mmCIF file of all heavy atoms in Angstrom:
data_model
loop_
_atom_site.group_PDB
_atom_site.id
_atom_site.type_symbol
_atom_site.label_atom_id
_atom_site.label_comp_id
_atom_site.label_asym_id
_atom_site.label_seq_id
_atom_site.Cartn_x
_atom_site.Cartn_y
_atom_site.Cartn_z
ATOM 1 N N LEU A 1 -11.375 5.417 9.941
ATOM 2 C CA LEU A 1 -11.209 4.380 10.962
ATOM 3 C C LEU A 1 -11.143 4.981 12.363
ATOM 4 O O LEU A 1 -11.925 4.628 13.246
ATOM 5 C CB LEU A 1 -9.927 3.586 10.687
ATOM 6 C CG LEU A 1 -9.984 2.447 9.683
ATOM 7 C CD1 LEU A 1 -8.618 1.796 9.566
ATOM 8 C CD2 LEU A 1 -11.010 1.425 10.075
ATOM 9 N N LEU A 2 -10.198 5.893 12.556
ATOM 10 C CA LEU A 2 -9.946 6.432 13.891
ATOM 11 C C LEU A 2 -11.101 7.307 14.371
ATOM 12 O O LEU A 2 -11.523 7.224 15.531
ATOM 13 C CB LEU A 2 -8.642 7.230 13.877
ATOM 14 C CG LEU A 2 -8.239 7.929 15.172
ATOM 15 C CD1 LEU A 2 -8.099 6.929 16.304
ATOM 16 C CD2 LEU A 2 -6.945 8.708 14.980
ATOM 17 N N GLY A 3 -11.635 8.145 13.499
ATOM 18 C CA GLY A 3 -12.641 9.112 13.913
ATOM 19 C C GLY A 3 -14.051 8.553 13.972
ATOM 20 O O GLY A 3 -14.828 8.936 14.858
ATOM 21 N N PHE A 4 -14.392 7.646 13.059
ATOM 22 C CA PHE A 4 -15.786 7.204 12.955
ATOM 23 C C PHE A 4 -16.014 5.773 13.456
ATOM 24 O O PHE A 4 -17.157 5.364 13.602
ATOM 25 C CB PHE A 4 -16.270 7.329 11.513
ATOM 26 C CG PHE A 4 -16.322 8.754 11.033
ATOM 27 C CD1 PHE A 4 -15.379 9.245 10.151
ATOM 28 C CD2 PHE A 4 -17.308 9.604 11.479
ATOM 29 C CE1 PHE A 4 -15.415 10.547 9.711
ATOM 30 C CE2 PHE A 4 -17.363 10.923 11.043
ATOM 31 C CZ PHE A 4 -16.409 11.406 10.161
ATOM 32 N N THR A 5 -14.953 5.012 13.694
ATOM 33 C CA THR A 5 -15.121 3.678 14.293
ATOM 34 C C THR A 5 -14.325 3.545 15.580
ATOM 35 O O THR A 5 -14.513 2.582 16.329
ATOM 36 C CB THR A 5 -14.683 2.561 13.331
ATOM 37 O OG1 THR A 5 -13.268 2.598 13.145
ATOM 38 C CG2 THR A 5 -15.385 2.685 11.990
ATOM 39 N N GLY A 6 -13.400 4.475 15.844
ATOM 40 C CA GLY A 6 -12.615 4.428 17.068
ATOM 41 C C GLY A 6 -11.458 3.444 17.036
ATOM 42 O O GLY A 6 -10.869 3.138 18.058
ATOM 43 N N GLN A 7 -11.097 2.952 15.826
ATOM 44 C CA GLN A 7 -10.007 1.976 15.701
ATOM 45 C C GLN A 7 -8.741 2.680 15.222
ATOM 46 O O GLN A 7 -8.734 3.278 14.135
ATOM 47 C CB GLN A 7 -10.399 0.874 14.708
ATOM 48 C CG GLN A 7 -11.651 0.117 15.100
ATOM 49 C CD GLN A 7 -11.511 -0.594 16.434
ATOM 50 O OE1 GLN A 7 -10.482 -1.196 16.734
ATOM 51 N NE2 GLN A 7 -12.562 -0.524 17.245
ATOM 52 N N LEU A 8 -7.680 2.624 16.006
ATOM 53 C CA LEU A 8 -6.422 3.280 15.672
ATOM 54 C C LEU A 8 -5.541 2.350 14.852
ATOM 55 O O LEU A 8 -5.164 1.270 15.320
ATOM 56 C CB LEU A 8 -5.687 3.706 16.943
ATOM 57 C CG LEU A 8 -4.279 4.287 16.766
ATOM 58 C CD1 LEU A 8 -4.322 5.530 15.896
ATOM 59 C CD2 LEU A 8 -3.636 4.572 18.111
ATOM 60 N N SER A 9 -5.218 2.762 13.640
ATOM 61 C CA SER A 9 -4.303 2.007 12.776
ATOM 62 C C SER A 9 -2.956 2.725 12.756
ATOM 63 O O SER A 9 -2.856 3.831 12.233
ATOM 64 C CB SER A 9 -4.870 1.911 11.345
ATOM 65 O OG SER A 9 -3.897 1.385 10.468
ATOM 66 N N LEU A 10 -1.929 2.076 13.307
ATOM 67 C CA LEU A 10 -0.597 2.650 13.281
ATOM 68 C C LEU A 10 0.246 2.058 12.155
ATOM 69 O O LEU A 10 1.465 2.243 12.128
ATOM 70 C CB LEU A 10 0.107 2.443 14.628
ATOM 71 C CG LEU A 10 -0.420 3.296 15.790
ATOM 72 C CD1 LEU A 10 0.380 3.039 17.048
ATOM 73 C CD2 LEU A 10 -0.399 4.780 15.427
ATOM 74 N N GLY A 11 -0.418 1.353 11.249
ATOM 75 C CA GLY A 11 0.279 0.831 10.083
ATOM 76 C C GLY A 11 -0.348 1.328 8.809
ATOM 77 O O GLY A 11 -0.223 0.716 7.744
ATOM 78 N N HIS A 12 -1.013 2.474 8.884
ATOM 79 C CA HIS A 12 -1.754 2.983 7.735
ATOM 80 C C HIS A 12 -0.837 3.323 6.560
ATOM 81 O O HIS A 12 -1.238 3.298 5.410
ATOM 82 C CB HIS A 12 -2.562 4.207 8.142
ATOM 83 C CG HIS A 12 -3.827 4.371 7.350
ATOM 84 N ND1 HIS A 12 -4.870 3.466 7.406
ATOM 85 C CD2 HIS A 12 -4.213 5.315 6.462
ATOM 86 C CE1 HIS A 12 -5.833 3.851 6.598
ATOM 87 N NE2 HIS A 12 -5.463 4.972 6.013
ATOM 88 N N VAL A 13 0.420 3.630 6.887
ATOM 89 C CA VAL A 13 1.375 3.968 5.832
ATOM 90 C C VAL A 13 1.628 2.769 4.915
ATOM 91 O O VAL A 13 2.071 2.944 3.776
ATOM 92 C CB VAL A 13 2.693 4.465 6.467
ATOM 93 C CG1 VAL A 13 3.466 3.301 7.094
ATOM 94 C CG2 VAL A 13 3.560 5.172 5.446
ATOM 95 N N ALA A 14 1.319 1.548 5.378
ATOM 96 C CA ALA A 14 1.504 0.362 4.532
ATOM 97 C C ALA A 14 0.635 0.463 3.280
ATOM 98 O O ALA A 14 1.088 0.155 2.173
ATOM 99 C CB ALA A 14 1.160 -0.906 5.319
ATOM 100 N N PHE A 15 -0.603 0.906 3.432
ATOM 101 C CA PHE A 15 -1.500 1.016 2.283
ATOM 102 C C PHE A 15 -1.038 2.130 1.342
ATOM 103 O O PHE A 15 -1.136 2.010 0.121
ATOM 104 C CB PHE A 15 -2.932 1.263 2.740
ATOM 105 C CG PHE A 15 -3.425 0.233 3.726
ATOM 106 C CD1 PHE A 15 -3.756 0.581 5.028
ATOM 107 C CD2 PHE A 15 -3.539 -1.089 3.349
ATOM 108 C CE1 PHE A 15 -4.197 -0.363 5.924
ATOM 109 C CE2 PHE A 15 -3.985 -2.061 4.244
ATOM 110 C CZ PHE A 15 -4.317 -1.689 5.542
ATOM 111 N N PHE A 16 -0.544 3.207 1.933
ATOM 112 C CA PHE A 16 0.016 4.315 1.143
ATOM 113 C C PHE A 16 1.192 3.816 0.302
ATOM 114 O O PHE A 16 1.270 4.066 -0.908
ATOM 115 C CB PHE A 16 0.465 5.423 2.097
ATOM 116 C CG PHE A 16 1.130 6.589 1.437
ATOM 117 C CD1 PHE A 16 0.392 7.507 0.715
ATOM 118 C CD2 PHE A 16 2.500 6.782 1.561
ATOM 119 C CE1 PHE A 16 1.011 8.596 0.103
ATOM 120 C CE2 PHE A 16 3.121 7.856 0.956
ATOM 121 C CZ PHE A 16 2.371 8.767 0.228
ATOM 122 N N GLY A 17 2.102 3.059 0.923
ATOM 123 C CA GLY A 17 3.277 2.556 0.212
ATOM 124 C C GLY A 17 2.918 1.507 -0.821
ATOM 125 O O GLY A 17 3.482 1.481 -1.920
ATOM 126 N N ILE A 18 1.982 0.607 -0.478
ATOM 127 C CA ILE A 18 1.566 -0.415 -1.444
ATOM 128 C C ILE A 18 0.951 0.241 -2.683
ATOM 129 O O ILE A 18 1.235 -0.159 -3.815
ATOM 130 C CB ILE A 18 0.562 -1.389 -0.788
ATOM 131 C CG1 ILE A 18 1.267 -2.252 0.248
ATOM 132 C CG2 ILE A 18 -0.105 -2.274 -1.841
ATOM 133 C CD1 ILE A 18 0.338 -3.109 1.075
ATOM 134 N N GLY A 19 0.113 1.249 -2.463
ATOM 135 C CA GLY A 19 -0.467 1.956 -3.599
ATOM 136 C C GLY A 19 0.594 2.591 -4.477
ATOM 137 O O GLY A 19 0.503 2.543 -5.709
ATOM 138 N N ALA A 20 1.625 3.162 -3.848
ATOM 139 C CA ALA A 20 2.703 3.777 -4.621
ATOM 140 C C ALA A 20 3.456 2.750 -5.444
ATOM 141 O O ALA A 20 3.718 2.950 -6.639
ATOM 142 C CB ALA A 20 3.652 4.509 -3.662
ATOM 143 N N TYR A 21 3.806 1.625 -4.844
ATOM 144 C CA TYR A 21 4.567 0.597 -5.556
ATOM 145 C C TYR A 21 3.750 -0.088 -6.636
ATOM 146 O O TYR A 21 4.249 -0.345 -7.740
ATOM 147 C CB TYR A 21 5.124 -0.440 -4.565
ATOM 148 C CG TYR A 21 6.498 -0.093 -4.055
ATOM 149 C CD1 TYR A 21 6.675 0.485 -2.818
ATOM 150 C CD2 TYR A 21 7.619 -0.334 -4.827
ATOM 151 C CE1 TYR A 21 7.943 0.806 -2.344
ATOM 152 C CE2 TYR A 21 8.893 -0.015 -4.372
ATOM 153 C CZ TYR A 21 9.046 0.551 -3.123
ATOM 154 O OH TYR A 21 10.300 0.880 -2.683
ATOM 155 N N VAL A 22 2.496 -0.415 -6.352
ATOM 156 C CA VAL A 22 1.649 -1.072 -7.354
ATOM 157 C C VAL A 22 1.486 -0.182 -8.576
ATOM 158 O O VAL A 22 1.611 -0.624 -9.727
ATOM 159 C CB VAL A 22 0.283 -1.439 -6.750
ATOM 160 C CG1 VAL A 22 -0.709 -1.849 -7.853
ATOM 161 C CG2 VAL A 22 0.432 -2.574 -5.752
ATOM 162 N N SER A 23 1.201 1.086 -8.362
ATOM 163 C CA SER A 23 0.995 2.008 -9.475
ATOM 164 C C SER A 23 2.286 2.209 -10.270
ATOM 165 O O SER A 23 2.275 2.215 -11.505
ATOM 166 C CB SER A 23 0.485 3.351 -8.934
ATOM 167 O OG SER A 23 -0.025 4.150 -9.976
ATOM 168 N N ALA A 24 3.400 2.375 -9.559
ATOM 169 C CA ALA A 24 4.682 2.590 -10.229
ATOM 170 C C ALA A 24 5.096 1.365 -11.035
ATOM 171 O O ALA A 24 5.531 1.481 -12.191
ATOM 172 C CB ALA A 24 5.753 2.931 -9.199
ATOM 173 N N LEU A 25 4.971 0.158 -10.467
ATOM 174 C CA LEU A 25 5.368 -1.060 -11.152
ATOM 175 C C LEU A 25 4.473 -1.354 -12.353
ATOM 176 O O LEU A 25 4.930 -1.870 -13.376
ATOM 177 C CB LEU A 25 5.344 -2.246 -10.177
ATOM 178 C CG LEU A 25 6.447 -2.256 -9.123
ATOM 179 C CD1 LEU A 25 6.182 -3.307 -8.070
ATOM 180 C CD2 LEU A 25 7.813 -2.487 -9.782
ATOM 181 N N THR A 26 3.207 -1.012 -12.250
ATOM 182 C CA THR A 26 2.297 -1.184 -13.397
ATOM 183 C C THR A 26 2.714 -0.292 -14.545
ATOM 184 O O THR A 26 2.695 -0.702 -15.717
ATOM 185 C CB THR A 26 0.850 -0.880 -12.978
ATOM 186 O OG1 THR A 26 0.474 -1.749 -11.900
ATOM 187 C CG2 THR A 26 -0.106 -1.087 -14.152
ATOM 188 N N ALA A 27 3.087 0.948 -14.232
ATOM 189 C CA ALA A 27 3.471 1.887 -15.281
ATOM 190 C C ALA A 27 4.846 1.573 -15.866
ATOM 191 O O ALA A 27 5.079 1.759 -17.065
ATOM 192 C CB ALA A 27 3.437 3.310 -14.729
ATOM 193 N N LEU A 28 5.768 1.093 -15.028
ATOM 194 C CA LEU A 28 7.120 0.815 -15.491
ATOM 195 C C LEU A 28 7.250 -0.558 -16.142
ATOM 196 O O LEU A 28 8.090 -0.771 -17.032
ATOM 197 C CB LEU A 28 8.110 0.891 -14.317
ATOM 198 C CG LEU A 28 8.359 2.279 -13.719
ATOM 199 C CD1 LEU A 28 9.154 2.155 -12.429
ATOM 200 C CD2 LEU A 28 9.091 3.171 -14.722
ATOM 201 N N GLY A 29 6.430 -1.501 -15.704
ATOM 202 C CA GLY A 29 6.593 -2.888 -16.150
ATOM 203 C C GLY A 29 7.700 -3.560 -15.364
ATOM 204 O O GLY A 29 8.571 -2.891 -14.787
ATOM 205 N N PHE A 30 7.706 -4.880 -15.335
ATOM 206 C CA PHE A 30 8.737 -5.612 -14.609
ATOM 207 C C PHE A 30 8.728 -7.072 -15.046
ATOM 208 O O PHE A 30 7.769 -7.563 -15.646
ATOM 209 C CB PHE A 30 8.498 -5.526 -13.085
ATOM 210 C CG PHE A 30 7.174 -6.090 -12.643
ATOM 211 C CD1 PHE A 30 7.051 -7.433 -12.275
ATOM 212 C CD2 PHE A 30 6.044 -5.284 -12.591
ATOM 213 C CE1 PHE A 30 5.840 -7.949 -11.865
ATOM 214 C CE2 PHE A 30 4.825 -5.802 -12.181
ATOM 215 C CZ PHE A 30 4.720 -7.143 -11.811
ATOM 216 N N ASP A 31 9.809 -7.751 -14.767
ATOM 217 C CA ASP A 31 9.854 -9.205 -14.900
ATOM 218 C C ASP A 31 10.548 -9.758 -13.673
ATOM 219 O O ASP A 31 11.604 -9.275 -13.268
ATOM 220 C CB ASP A 31 10.559 -9.640 -16.188
ATOM 221 C CG ASP A 31 12.002 -9.173 -16.230
ATOM 222 O OD1 ASP A 31 12.222 -8.020 -16.692
ATOM 223 O OD2 ASP A 31 12.887 -9.920 -15.798
ATOM 224 N N VAL A 32 9.932 -10.733 -13.042
ATOM 225 C CA VAL A 32 10.433 -11.263 -11.794
ATOM 226 C C VAL A 32 10.299 -12.780 -11.794
ATOM 227 O O VAL A 32 9.327 -13.328 -12.329
ATOM 228 C CB VAL A 32 9.666 -10.641 -10.595
ATOM 229 C CG1 VAL A 32 8.188 -10.967 -10.639
ATOM 230 C CG2 VAL A 32 10.261 -11.064 -9.280
ATOM 231 N N GLU A 33 11.290 -13.431 -11.237
ATOM 232 C CA GLU A 33 11.286 -14.898 -11.177
ATOM 233 C C GLU A 33 10.471 -15.360 -9.979
ATOM 234 O O GLU A 33 10.660 -14.888 -8.854
ATOM 235 C CB GLU A 33 12.706 -15.429 -11.083
ATOM 236 C CG GLU A 33 12.787 -16.953 -11.178
ATOM 237 C CD GLU A 33 14.225 -17.453 -11.213
ATOM 238 O OE1 GLU A 33 15.139 -16.616 -11.414
ATOM 239 O OE2 GLU A 33 14.424 -18.663 -11.055
ATOM 240 N N LEU A 34 9.556 -16.310 -10.243
ATOM 241 C CA LEU A 34 8.687 -16.859 -9.214
ATOM 242 C C LEU A 34 9.154 -18.264 -8.852
ATOM 243 O O LEU A 34 10.020 -18.833 -9.519
ATOM 244 C CB LEU A 34 7.245 -16.886 -9.717
ATOM 245 C CG LEU A 34 6.643 -15.530 -10.111
ATOM 246 C CD1 LEU A 34 5.250 -15.719 -10.673
ATOM 247 C CD2 LEU A 34 6.613 -14.584 -8.923
#
């Protein structure tokens, strides 16, 4: 993004964290009330 399109993302860590939580919750399993 920053180098090849010139767009600065200062929230890039959000995707890093989402990937961590999605992968961890898939492996651990969960039950949540909707």
Side-chain angles (χ1 to χ4, degrees):
L1 277 180
L2 177 58
F4 295 105
T5 69
Q7 301 299 318
L8 174 60
S9 170
L10 288 182
H12 210 65
V13 73
F15 305 116
F16 177 74
I18 290 172
Y21 269 100
V22 168
S23 194
L25 289 170
T26 302
L28 291 170
F30 60 91
D31 61 273
V32 62
E33 187 174 347
L34 301 176

